[in-house]
Amino acid sequence: MNRIEVEKKVLNENQVLAEQLRERYSRDGVFCVNLVSSPGSGKTLLLERTLEYMDPQARVAVLTGDLQTENDAKRLARFGFPVKQIITGGTCHLDAKMIGKHLEGWELGNLDLLVIENVGNLVCPSSYDLGEDAKVVLLSTTEGEDKPLKYPSMFFKSDLMLLTKIDLLPYLPFDADLARENARRVHPQIEIIDVSNITGQGIDRWMKWLQESQQRKRSASVLGISTGN
Amino acid sequence: MNRIEVEKKVLNENQVLAEQLRERYSRDGVFCVNLVSSPGSGKTLLLERTLEYMDPQARVAVLTGDLQTENDAKRLARFGFPVKQIITGGTCHLDAKMIGKHLEGWELGNLDLLVIENVGNLVCPSSYDLGEDAKVVLLSTTEGEDKPLKYPSMFFKSDLMLLTKIDLLPYLPFDADLARENARRVHPQIEIIDVSNITGQGIDRWMKWLQESQQRKRSASVLGISTGN
């Protein structure tokens, strides 16, 4: 078997497991978001702001992936919601098998929202379906306007782009309009919200997006329509 | 053949080609640098500053890798040195085969310095030797201090870390000492230079590092000592 055949087999196996996860999420009424971005675009800080903003009774849980360290899970655990770290040990993405394994011990029926923070990588995570209802890509203002064109698969597959570190705009040679235009060239329907994890700008819109997306899934479910990838 | 066996086979094949490249560089007296980082850490802008700083008679060439677009080659070509774009078409790293292919048509004997700008990705490029004499990793101040711990392989394998976007420090909750400490925890001998591609801070030190590294290779070659990975 050559490399491309093995690659295809791995992706096919992942797809089977991802569909099983998607069915579980639907059956248990969980909305699942897969957060993707370059390293350091602000995924963990966004999650801190998100959990801080949540009602303490909210039924939310987080799986956070990294090649090494438990740092992110430690940062996120202090908000009192269930959090687990997935250490990939060098692998450049999360896959559906890792998600299934780390969901063990959690009763999905007790959750409304599951957020997965993927490994910081704009390439490989785009190939691995985790059964999520939506992919959300973070692009930070410090990364340059051209990233959607250079990494098109990730932006094409994402439902929402969060343009993070928007507070740094005054100090950067960054054309936010051009960045948005580039994202829409790759994916005309992509939604875009400007966000600052430092000043809190846009966090309310992001929370609203999360709530409305969950609501949409619930309504679709009542009507027997499936959502997701 | 299972996935890990195929992975090993691919890496072994790459290693054979990388050694051939290394021999060519040595025979022709070329110093080869492999620039690696997250997307948007400033590799291309650093190269613009570097080429701008060069004597117009300098014998330097650049290979620049991206999943898509010829943008970087266009940006770099205006300095008058030979530049080629490598479009990986979705692959998350450059490999030795791509380098060999894109070196065709260039007379290495006419070069002193070959700079390879890898795909923006802190994970996969660390596994693929390109026959380079040195890996240089860029970490930008906007990415967070923890990246060397989260992506240890890349920092362990790099000879030099350029701490980029140092001009943004006043606007960021970023502890530069901690970032340097984390890099040294992973790789105690790593050299570190603070750089701003905007203000030009540190570019002279980076140019000096390049010159001294080339000089060291030449001296080692006279003494019959091999350098590189």
Side-chain angles (χ1 to χ4, degrees), chain B:
Chain B
M1 204 184 286
N2 68 23
R3 189 189 184 188
I4 292 170
E5 284 167 337
V6 173
E7 194 85 16
K8 269 191 192 160
K9 192 162 170 273
V10 169
L11 286 173
N12 287 344
E13 283 170 4
N14 186 74
Q15 201 56 44
V16 170
L17 294 175
E19 293 304 339
Q20 290 171 0
L21 286 172
R22 199 175 342 270
E23 278 165 30
R24 284 180 65 192
Y25 301 149
S26 285
R27 196 178 54 226
D28 290 326
V30 182
F31 184 76
C32 176
V33 176
N34 181 3
L35 288 185
V36 290
S37 80
S38 302
S41 297
K43 293 185 296 303
T44 314
L45 197 49
L46 175 81
L47 274 174
E48 290 185 296
R49 292 287 160 274
T50 305
L51 297 180
E52 197 172 51
Y53 205 102
M54 291 268 171
D55 187 298
Q57 305 306 317
R59 299 165 12 122
V60 55
V62 177
L63 292 177
T64 179
D66 272 304
L67 272 68
Q68 293 296 344
T69 85
E70 299 247 349
N71 296 356
D72 287 358
K74 284 183 195 152
R75 280 171 64 181
L76 296 170
R78 65 196 169 93
F79 298 96
F81 301 104
V83 175
K84 273 192 210 167
Q85 180 79 47
I86 305 178
I87 296 181
T88 69
T91 300
C92 52
H93 58 270
L94 297 179
D95 63 30
K97 194 175 177 182
M98 299 177 198
I99 301 300
K101 191 177 161 224
H102 286 81
L103 286 178
E104 282 171 16
W106 280 355
E107 183 54 66
L108 284 187
N110 293 336
L111 294 180
D112 293 323
L113 176 63
L114 173 67
V115 186
I116 300 170
E117 179 185 357
N118 218 311
V119 173
N121 181 335
L122 266 187
V123 191
C124 315
S126 82
S127 303
Y128 289 81
D129 186 358
L130 307 180
E132 71 268 15
D133 295 284
K135 252 190 205 69
V136 175
V137 63
L138 282 70
L139 173 68
S140 61
T141 56
T142 54
E143 288 172 63
E145 306 88 353
D146 55 351
K147 294 304 167 288
L149 304 181
K150 285 188 169 182
Y151 303 85
S153 173
M154 196 62 103
F155 291 82
F156 178 72
K157 291 187 178 178
S158 294
D159 302 84
L160 171 67
M161 172 173 112
L162 295 175
L163 189 56
T164 62
K165 307 191 188 178
I166 202 77
D167 56 296
L168 291 176
L169 265 191
Y171 316 113
L172 300 172
F174 180 81
D175 183 340
D177 285 336
L178 181 58
R180 293 186 201 102
E181 188 185 315
N182 285 340
R184 291 196 180 107
R185 273 177 66 186
V186 171
H187 183 177
Q189 287 80 32
I190 198 165
E191 293 185 71
I192 301 175
I193 301 176
D194 295 355
V195 163
S196 165
N197 292 321
I198 301 293
T199 68
Q201 179 187 333
I203 298 295
D204 52 345
R205 286 188 61 201
W206 153 242
M207 298 303 292
K208 195 162 171 243
W209 184 91
L210 272 179
Q211 282 160 6
E212 288 177 353
S213 302
Q214 289 176 66
Q215 187 54 50
R216 237 190 338 262
K217 181 176 182 180
R218 269 185 229 116
S219 309
S221 161
V222 170
L223 296 169
I225 303 162
S226 80
T227 58
N229 282 341

Side-chain angles (χ1 to χ4, degrees), chain A residues 44 48 62-78 83-89 101-102 117, chain B residues 146 148-152 185:
Chain A
T44 314
E48 290 186 296
V62 178
L63 292 176
T64 180
D66 272 304
L67 273 69
Q68 294 296 344
T69 84
E70 300 247 348
N71 295 356
D72 287 358
K74 283 182 197 152
R75 280 171 63 181
L76 296 170
R78 65 194 169 95
V83 176
K84 272 191 209 167
Q85 181 80 48
I86 305 178
I87 296 181
T88 70
K101 191 176 160 224
H102 286 80
E117 179 185 359
Chain B
D146 55 351
L149 304 181
K150 285 188 169 182
Y151 303 85
R185 273 177 66 186

